[in-house]
Amino acid sequence: MAQEANEAPARAAAQLQLNADLVRAAGERLRELAPPFAATLARGSSDQAAAFAKFLLETYAGVPTLSHAPSVGSLYQATSSRFAGVPLIAISQSGGSPDLIAAAEDAKRQGALVIAIVNVVDSPLAERADIVIPVHAGSETSVAATKSFVCTLVALAHLVAEWSQDAGLLAALGTIGDVLHNAADADWTQAVPLLRDADDMLVLGRGPTLPIAGEAALKLKETSSLHAEAFSSAEVAHGPMTLVGEGDPVLVLAPLDVARTGLRERLEDFAARGARVIAAGLPEDIAAAQLVLPMRTDVHPAAGAIAQIQSFYALAEALSLARGRNPDSPPHLNKVTRTL
């Protein structure tokens, strides 16, 4: 897991060069299509990547984006004819899950433009797609996906940047290799003592970092058998805050954009109750944290969000080992999950 996570920065930088012409052409095609909305199709970590795509599409491209549940197409065959002319972004590291394949086929029959974001380019999902965007993560053997997730986020940012022609997002892609290398070097393992004996915890994000919080919570469950739940730092006030009290850990992946509004006050509230707040973000937002995790804050908010998960993976691996588990081979899980 650690070795593969550390490969992500170089893989992501190479991907941008390898995919430059392909993604530029895809962006032009999507601008010409001018769809009324877009949809994503994914499960597991890929579904967190899909949520990141939704954020980028809605905030940078101005395209409303829905999450298309795989079972709607795979089990119910109920995909709407309104999918005609709509891009369906299907995200899968392996491209082999039967439910995603069936749902993509059904949407395509309704006229959807299927875009496959995959690591395995000769996969069944890729074969059924109109546009295939490889993430170029290389072979990944650890059950816990790391570099494939980071590379998928970069591929999605690349696609949205070319689709929207957003100057800031396009410029940020040019620095992503350096940003991720820096993030890989940042030591987040200092949080291990605060989390080693935890039974449950919250992971907070908002805007670009909410999907990152979702992926972090998933990895904590997967590699450490730690019951971690992700919430928006705004949504957490609508009930889940009652779960947090003295000594409870809260990992905060703070956004670098306007979504940081109100975060400082929220963390002050957690700290006042005795929660162990562990946070990465702008210093003025996370001053109430018991432990501040290192990260660059002079970067584009989307790049900053991707950098946070890059840094987190080393923490997840170290915590898993500290809890006596094998992060490469969690119990009851397989590298490729086949559901229908």
Coordinates of all heavy atoms in Angstrom, one line a residue, residues 232-309:
S232 N -20.1 16.4 5.9 CA -19.8 17.8 5.6 C -19.6 18.5 6.9 O -20.4 18.3 7.9 CB -20.9 18.4 4.8 OG -20.9 19.8 4.9
S233 N -18.7 19.5 7.0 CA -18.5 20.2 8.2 C -19.7 21.1 8.5 O -19.9 21.6 9.6 CB -17.3 21.1 8.1 OG -17.3 21.9 7.0
A234 N -20.6 21.3 7.5 CA -21.8 22.0 7.7 C -22.9 21.1 8.1 O -23.7 21.3 9.1 CB -22.3 22.8 6.4
E235 N -23.0 19.9 7.4 CA -24.1 18.9 7.7 C -23.9 18.3 9.0 O -24.9 17.9 9.6 CB -24.0 17.9 6.6 CG -25.2 16.9 6.6 CD -26.5 17.6 6.3 OE1 -26.5 18.6 5.5 OE2 -27.6 17.1 6.8
V236 N -22.7 18.2 9.5 CA -22.4 17.6 10.8 C -23.2 18.2 12.0 O -23.5 17.6 13.0 CB -20.9 17.5 11.1 CG1 -20.4 18.9 11.6 CG2 -20.6 16.5 12.2
A237 N -23.5 19.5 11.8 CA -24.3 20.2 12.8 C -25.7 19.8 12.9 O -26.4 20.1 13.8 CB -24.2 21.7 12.6
H238 N -26.2 19.1 11.8 CA -27.6 18.7 11.8 C -27.8 17.3 12.4 O -28.5 16.5 11.8 CB -28.1 18.7 10.3 CG -28.1 20.1 9.8 ND1 -29.3 20.9 9.8 CD2 -27.2 20.9 9.2 CE1 -29.0 22.1 9.2 NE2 -27.8 22.1 8.8
G239 N -27.2 17.1 13.5 CA -27.5 15.8 14.2 C -26.2 15.1 14.6 O -26.0 14.7 15.8
P240 N -25.3 14.8 13.7 CA -24.1 13.9 14.0 C -23.2 14.5 15.1 O -22.5 13.8 15.8 CB -23.4 13.8 12.7 CG -24.4 14.0 11.7 CD -25.4 15.0 12.2
M241 N -23.3 15.9 15.3 CA -22.4 16.4 16.4 C -22.7 15.9 17.8 O -21.9 15.9 18.6 CB -22.6 18.0 16.4 CG -21.8 18.7 15.3 SD -21.7 20.5 15.5 CE -20.6 20.6 16.8
T242 N -23.9 15.4 18.0 CA -24.3 14.9 19.3 C -23.5 13.6 19.6 O -23.4 13.2 20.8 CB -25.8 14.5 19.3 OG1 -26.1 13.5 18.4 CG2 -26.6 15.8 19.1
L243 N -22.9 13.0 18.6 CA -22.1 11.8 18.8 C -20.7 12.1 19.4 O -20.0 11.2 19.9 CB -21.9 11.0 17.5 CG -23.2 10.5 16.8 CD1 -22.8 10.0 15.4 CD2 -23.9 9.5 17.7
V244 N -20.3 13.3 19.3 CA -18.9 13.6 19.7 C -18.8 14.2 21.1 O -19.5 15.2 21.4 CB -18.3 14.6 18.6 CG1 -16.9 15.0 19.0 CG2 -18.4 14.0 17.2
G245 N -17.9 13.6 21.8 CA -17.7 14.1 23.2 C -16.3 14.0 23.6 O -15.4 14.0 22.8
E246 N -16.0 14.0 24.9 CA -14.7 14.0 25.4 C -13.8 12.8 24.9 O -14.2 11.7 24.9 CB -14.7 13.8 27.0 CG -13.4 13.9 27.7 CD -12.8 15.3 27.7 OE1 -13.6 16.3 27.8 OE2 -11.6 15.4 27.8
G247 N -12.7 13.2 24.3 CA -11.7 12.2 23.8 C -12.0 11.6 22.5 O -11.2 10.8 21.9
D248 N -13.1 12.0 21.8 CA -13.5 11.4 20.5 C -12.6 12.0 19.4 O -12.5 13.3 19.4 CB -14.9 11.6 20.2 CG -15.8 10.7 21.2 OD1 -15.4 9.7 21.6 OD2 -17.0 11.2 21.4
P249 N -12.1 11.2 18.5 CA -11.2 11.8 17.5 C -12.1 12.3 16.3 O -13.1 11.7 15.9 CB -10.4 10.7 17.0 CG -11.1 9.4 17.4 CD -12.0 9.8 18.6
V250 N -11.7 13.5 15.8 CA -12.3 14.1 14.6 C -11.2 14.5 13.6 O -10.4 15.3 14.0 CB -13.2 15.3 14.9 CG1 -13.8 15.9 13.7 CG2 -14.3 14.9 16.0
L251 N -11.2 13.9 12.5 CA -10.2 14.2 11.4 C -10.9 15.2 10.5 O -11.9 14.9 10.0 CB -9.8 13.0 10.7 CG -8.8 13.2 9.5 CD1 -7.5 13.8 9.9 CD2 -8.6 11.9 8.8
V252 N -10.2 16.4 10.3 CA -10.8 17.4 9.5 C -9.9 17.7 8.3 O -8.7 18.0 8.5 CB -10.9 18.7 10.3 CG1 -11.6 19.8 9.5 CG2 -11.7 18.5 11.6
L253 N -10.5 17.5 7.1 CA -9.8 17.8 5.9 C -10.4 19.1 5.3 O -11.4 19.1 4.6 CB -9.9 16.7 4.9 CG -9.5 15.3 5.5 CD1 -9.7 14.2 4.5 CD2 -8.0 15.3 5.8
A254 N -9.8 20.2 5.7 CA -10.4 21.5 5.5 C -10.2 22.0 4.1 O -9.1 21.8 3.5 CB -9.8 22.5 6.4
P255 N -11.2 22.5 3.4 CA -11.1 23.0 2.1 C -10.3 24.4 2.1 O -10.2 25.1 3.1 CB -12.5 23.2 1.6 CG -13.2 23.5 2.9 CD -12.5 22.7 4.0
L256 N -9.8 24.7 0.9 CA -9.0 25.9 0.7 C -9.8 27.0 0.0 O -9.3 28.1 -0.3 CB -7.7 25.7 -0.1 CG -6.8 24.7 0.6 CD1 -5.5 24.5 -0.3 CD2 -6.3 25.1 2.0
D257 N -11.1 26.7 -0.3 CA -12.0 27.7 -1.0 C -13.1 28.2 0.0 O -13.0 28.1 1.2 CB -12.5 27.1 -2.3 CG -13.5 25.9 -2.0 OD1 -13.7 25.6 -0.8 OD2 -14.0 25.3 -3.0
V258 N -14.1 28.8 -0.6 CA -15.2 29.4 0.2 C -15.9 28.4 1.1 O -16.5 28.8 2.0 CB -16.1 30.1 -0.8 CG1 -16.9 29.1 -1.6 CG2 -17.1 31.0 0.0
A259 N -15.7 27.1 0.8 CA -16.4 26.1 1.6 C -15.8 26.1 3.1 O -16.4 25.4 3.9 CB -16.2 24.7 1.0
R260 N -14.7 26.8 3.3 CA -14.2 26.9 4.6 C -15.0 27.8 5.5 O -14.8 27.8 6.8 CB -12.8 27.3 4.6 CG -12.6 28.6 3.8 CD -11.1 28.9 3.6 NE -10.5 29.6 4.8 CZ -10.4 30.9 4.9 NH1 -10.8 31.7 4.0 NH2 -9.9 31.3 6.0
T261 N -16.0 28.4 5.0 CA -16.9 29.3 5.8 C -17.5 28.6 7.0 O -18.1 27.6 6.9 CB -18.0 29.9 4.9 OG1 -17.4 30.6 3.8 CG2 -18.9 30.8 5.7
G262 N -17.3 29.2 8.2 CA -17.8 28.6 9.4 C -17.0 27.5 10.0 O -17.4 27.0 11.1
L263 N -16.0 27.1 9.4 CA -15.2 25.9 9.9 C -14.5 26.2 11.2 O -14.5 25.4 12.1 CB -14.2 25.5 8.8 CG -13.3 24.3 9.2 CD1 -14.2 23.0 9.5 CD2 -12.2 24.0 8.2
R264 N -14.0 27.4 11.3 CA -13.2 27.7 12.6 C -14.2 27.6 13.8 O -13.8 27.0 14.8 CB -12.7 29.1 12.5 CG -12.0 29.6 13.8 CD -11.3 30.9 13.6 NE -10.6 31.2 14.8 CZ -9.6 32.1 14.9 NH1 -9.2 32.7 13.8 NH2 -9.0 32.4 16.1
E265 N -15.4 28.1 13.7 CA -16.3 28.1 14.8 C -16.7 26.6 15.1 O -16.9 26.2 16.2 CB -17.5 28.9 14.5 CG -17.3 30.4 14.4 CD -16.6 30.9 13.1 OE1 -16.6 30.1 12.1 OE2 -16.1 32.0 13.0
R266 N -16.9 25.8 14.0 CA -17.3 24.4 14.2 C -16.2 23.7 15.0 O -16.5 22.9 15.9 CB -17.5 23.8 12.8 CG -18.0 22.4 12.9 CD -19.5 22.3 13.2 NE -20.3 22.8 12.1 CZ -21.1 23.8 12.2 NH1 -21.3 24.4 13.4 NH2 -21.8 24.2 11.2
L267 N -14.9 23.9 14.6 CA -13.9 23.2 15.3 C -13.7 23.7 16.7 O -13.3 22.9 17.6 CB -12.6 23.3 14.5 CG -12.6 22.8 13.1 CD1 -11.2 22.7 12.5 CD2 -13.3 21.4 13.0
E268 N -13.9 24.9 17.0 CA -13.9 25.5 18.3 C -14.9 24.8 19.2 O -14.7 24.5 20.4 CB -14.1 27.0 18.3 CG -12.8 27.7 17.8 CD -13.1 29.2 17.6 OE1 -14.3 29.6 17.7 OE2 -12.1 30.0 17.4
D269 N -16.1 24.5 18.6 CA -17.2 23.8 19.3 C -16.7 22.4 19.7 O -16.9 21.9 20.8 CB -18.4 23.8 18.5 CG -19.7 23.4 19.2 OD1 -19.5 23.1 20.4 OD2 -20.7 23.3 18.6
F270 N -16.1 21.7 18.7 CA -15.7 20.3 19.0 C -14.6 20.3 20.1 O -14.6 19.5 21.0 CB -15.1 19.7 17.7 CG -16.1 19.1 16.8 CD1 -16.2 19.6 15.5 CD2 -16.9 18.1 17.2 CE1 -17.1 19.0 14.6 CE2 -17.9 17.6 16.3 CZ -18.0 18.0 15.0
A271 N -13.7 21.3 20.0 CA -12.6 21.3 21.0 C -13.1 21.6 22.4 O -12.6 21.1 23.4 CB -11.6 22.4 20.5
A272 N -14.1 22.5 22.4 CA -14.7 22.8 23.7 C -15.3 21.6 24.4 O -15.4 21.6 25.6 CB -15.7 24.0 23.5
R273 N -15.8 20.7 23.6 CA -16.4 19.5 24.2 C -15.3 18.4 24.5 O -15.7 17.3 25.0 CB -17.3 18.9 23.2 CG -18.6 19.7 23.0 CD -19.6 18.9 22.3 NE -20.1 19.5 21.1 CZ -20.9 18.9 20.2 NH1 -21.1 17.6 20.4 NH2 -21.3 19.5 19.2
G274 N -14.0 18.7 24.2 CA -13.0 17.8 24.6 C -12.6 16.8 23.5 O -11.9 15.8 23.7
A275 N -13.2 17.0 22.3 CA -12.9 16.2 21.1 C -11.4 16.3 20.7 O -10.8 17.4 20.9 CB -13.8 16.5 19.9
R276 N -10.8 15.3 20.3 CA -9.4 15.3 19.8 C -9.4 15.7 18.3 O -9.6 14.8 17.4 CB -8.7 14.0 20.0 CG -8.4 13.7 21.5 CD -7.8 12.3 21.7 NE -8.7 11.3 21.3 CZ -8.4 10.0 21.3 NH1 -7.1 9.6 21.5 NH2 -9.2 9.0 21.0
V277 N -9.3 16.9 18.0 CA -9.4 17.4 16.6 C -8.0 17.3 15.9 O -7.0 17.9 16.4 CB -9.9 18.9 16.5 CG1 -10.0 19.3 15.1 CG2 -11.3 18.9 17.2
I278 N -8.0 16.6 14.8 CA -6.8 16.5 14.0 C -7.1 17.1 12.6 O -8.1 16.7 12.0 CB -6.4 15.0 13.8 CG1 -6.3 14.3 15.2 CG2 -5.2 14.8 13.0 CD1 -6.4 12.8 15.1
A279 N -6.4 18.1 12.2 CA -6.8 18.8 11.0 C -5.7 19.2 10.1 O -4.5 19.5 10.5 CB -7.6 20.1 11.5
A280 N -6.0 19.3 8.8 CA -5.2 19.9 7.8 C -5.9 21.0 7.1 O -7.1 20.8 6.7 CB -4.7 18.8 6.8
G281 N -5.3 22.2 6.9 CA -6.0 23.3 6.2 C -5.3 24.6 6.5 O -4.1 24.6 7.0
L282 N -5.9 25.7 6.3 CA -5.4 27.0 6.5 C -5.3 27.2 8.1 O -6.2 26.9 8.8 CB -6.3 28.1 5.9 CG -6.3 28.1 4.4 CD1 -7.5 29.0 3.9 CD2 -5.0 28.7 3.9
P283 N -4.1 27.7 8.5 CA -3.9 27.9 10.0 C -5.0 28.6 10.7 O -5.4 28.2 11.8 CB -2.6 28.6 10.0 CG -1.9 28.3 8.8 CD -3.0 28.2 7.7
E284 N -5.6 29.6 10.1 CA -6.6 30.4 10.8 C -7.9 29.6 10.9 O -8.7 29.9 11.8 CB -6.9 31.7 10.1 CG -7.3 31.6 8.6 CD -6.2 31.6 7.6 OE1 -5.1 31.2 8.0 OE2 -6.4 32.2 6.5
D285 N -8.1 28.6 10.1 CA -9.4 27.8 10.2 C -9.2 26.7 11.2 O -10.3 26.2 11.7 CB -9.7 27.2 8.8 CG -10.1 28.2 7.8 OD1 -10.5 29.3 8.2 OD2 -9.9 27.9 6.6
I286 N -8.0 26.2 11.4 CA -7.9 25.0 12.2 C -7.1 25.2 13.5 O -6.5 24.3 14.1 CB -7.2 23.8 11.4 CG1 -5.8 24.3 10.9 CG2 -8.1 23.5 10.2 CD1 -5.0 23.2 10.2
A287 N -7.1 26.5 14.0 CA -6.4 26.9 15.2 C -6.8 26.1 16.4 O -6.0 25.9 17.3 CB -6.6 28.4 15.4
A288 N -8.0 25.6 16.4 CA -8.5 24.8 17.6 C -8.1 23.4 17.6 O -8.4 22.6 18.5 CB -10.1 24.9 17.6
A289 N -7.4 22.9 16.6 CA -7.0 21.5 16.5 C -6.0 21.2 17.5 O -5.1 21.9 17.8 CB -6.5 21.2 15.1
Q290 N -6.1 20.0 18.0 CA -5.1 19.4 18.9 C -3.8 19.1 18.2 O -2.7 19.2 18.7 CB -5.6 18.2 19.7 CG -4.7 17.6 20.7 CD -5.3 16.4 21.4 OE1 -6.5 16.3 21.5 NE2 -4.4 15.5 21.9
L291 N -4.0 18.6 16.9 CA -2.9 18.3 16.1 C -3.1 18.9 14.7 O -4.1 18.6 14.1 CB -2.7 16.7 16.0 CG -1.6 16.2 15.0 CD1 -0.3 16.7 15.5 CD2 -1.7 14.7 14.9
V292 N -2.2 19.6 14.2 CA -2.2 20.2 12.9 C -1.3 19.4 12.0 O -0.1 19.2 12.2 CB -1.8 21.7 12.9 CG1 -1.7 22.2 11.5 CG2 -2.8 22.5 13.7
L293 N -1.9 18.9 10.9 CA -1.2 18.1 9.9 C -0.6 19.0 8.8 O -1.3 19.9 8.4 CB -2.1 17.0 9.3 CG -2.8 16.1 10.3 CD1 -3.8 15.2 9.6 CD2 -1.7 15.2 10.9
P294 N 0.6 18.7 8.4 CA 1.3 19.6 7.4 C 0.6 19.4 6.0 O 0.4 18.3 5.6 CB 2.7 19.1 7.4 CG 2.6 17.7 7.8 CD 1.5 17.6 8.8
M295 N 0.4 20.6 5.4 CA 0.0 20.6 4.0 C 0.3 22.0 3.4 O 0.3 23.0 4.1 CB -1.5 20.2 3.8 CG -2.5 21.3 4.3 SD -4.2 20.9 3.7 CE -4.1 21.3 1.9
R296 N 0.5 22.0 2.1 CA 0.6 23.2 1.4 C -0.8 23.9 1.2 O -1.7 23.2 0.9 CB 1.2 23.0 0.0 CG 2.7 22.8 0.0 CD 3.2 22.7 -1.5 NE 3.0 23.9 -2.3 CZ 3.3 24.0 -3.5 NH1 3.9 23.0 -4.2 NH2 3.1 25.1 -4.2
T297 N -0.8 25.2 1.5 CA -2.1 25.9 1.4 C -2.1 26.9 0.3 O -3.0 27.6 0.0 CB -2.5 26.5 2.7 OG1 -1.4 27.4 3.1 CG2 -2.7 25.5 3.8
D298 N -0.9 27.0 -0.5 CA -0.8 28.0 -1.5 C -1.1 27.4 -2.9 O -0.4 27.7 -3.9 CB 0.6 28.6 -1.5 CG 1.7 27.5 -1.7 OD1 1.4 26.3 -1.5 OD2 2.8 27.9 -2.2
V299 N -2.1 26.5 -2.9 CA -2.4 25.8 -4.2 C -3.8 25.9 -4.5 O -4.6 26.4 -3.7 CB -2.0 24.3 -4.0 CG1 -0.5 24.1 -3.7 CG2 -2.8 23.6 -2.9
H300 N -4.2 25.5 -5.7 CA -5.6 25.5 -6.1 C -6.4 24.6 -5.2 O -5.9 23.5 -4.8 CB -5.7 25.0 -7.6 CG -7.0 25.2 -8.2 ND1 -8.1 24.4 -8.0 CD2 -7.5 26.1 -9.1 CE1 -9.1 24.7 -8.7 NE2 -8.8 25.8 -9.4
P301 N -7.6 25.0 -4.9 CA -8.4 24.2 -4.0 C -8.6 22.7 -4.4 O -8.6 21.8 -3.6 CB -9.8 24.9 -3.9 CG -9.4 26.3 -4.2 CD -8.3 26.3 -5.2
A302 N -8.8 22.5 -5.7 CA -8.9 21.1 -6.2 C -7.6 20.4 -6.0 O -7.6 19.2 -5.6 CB -9.3 21.1 -7.7
A303 N -6.5 21.0 -6.3 CA -5.2 20.3 -6.1 C -5.0 20.1 -4.6 O -4.4 19.0 -4.3 CB -4.1 21.2 -6.7
G304 N -5.4 21.0 -3.8 CA -5.2 20.8 -2.4 C -6.0 19.7 -1.8 O -5.5 18.9 -1.0
A305 N -7.2 19.5 -2.4 CA -8.0 18.3 -2.0 C -7.3 17.0 -2.3 O -7.3 16.1 -1.5 CB -9.4 18.4 -2.6
I306 N -6.8 16.9 -3.6 CA -6.2 15.7 -4.0 C -4.9 15.5 -3.2 O -4.6 14.3 -2.8 CB -5.8 15.8 -5.5 CG1 -7.1 16.0 -6.4 CG2 -5.1 14.5 -6.0 CD1 -6.8 16.3 -7.8
A307 N -4.2 16.5 -2.8 CA -3.0 16.4 -2.0 C -3.3 15.8 -0.7 O -2.5 15.1 -0.1 CB -2.3 17.8 -1.9
Q308 N -4.5 16.2 -0.1 CA -4.8 15.7 1.2 C -5.0 14.2 1.2 O -4.5 13.5 2.2 CB -6.1 16.3 1.7 CG -5.9 17.8 2.1 CD -7.2 18.4 2.6 OE1 -8.3 17.9 2.3 NE2 -7.1 19.5 3.4
I309 N -5.6 13.6 0.2 CA -5.7 12.1 0.2 C -4.3 11.5 0.0 O -4.0 10.4 0.5 CB -6.8 11.6 -0.8 CG1 -7.2 10.2 -0.4 CG2 -6.3 11.7 -2.2 CD1 -7.9 10.1 1.0

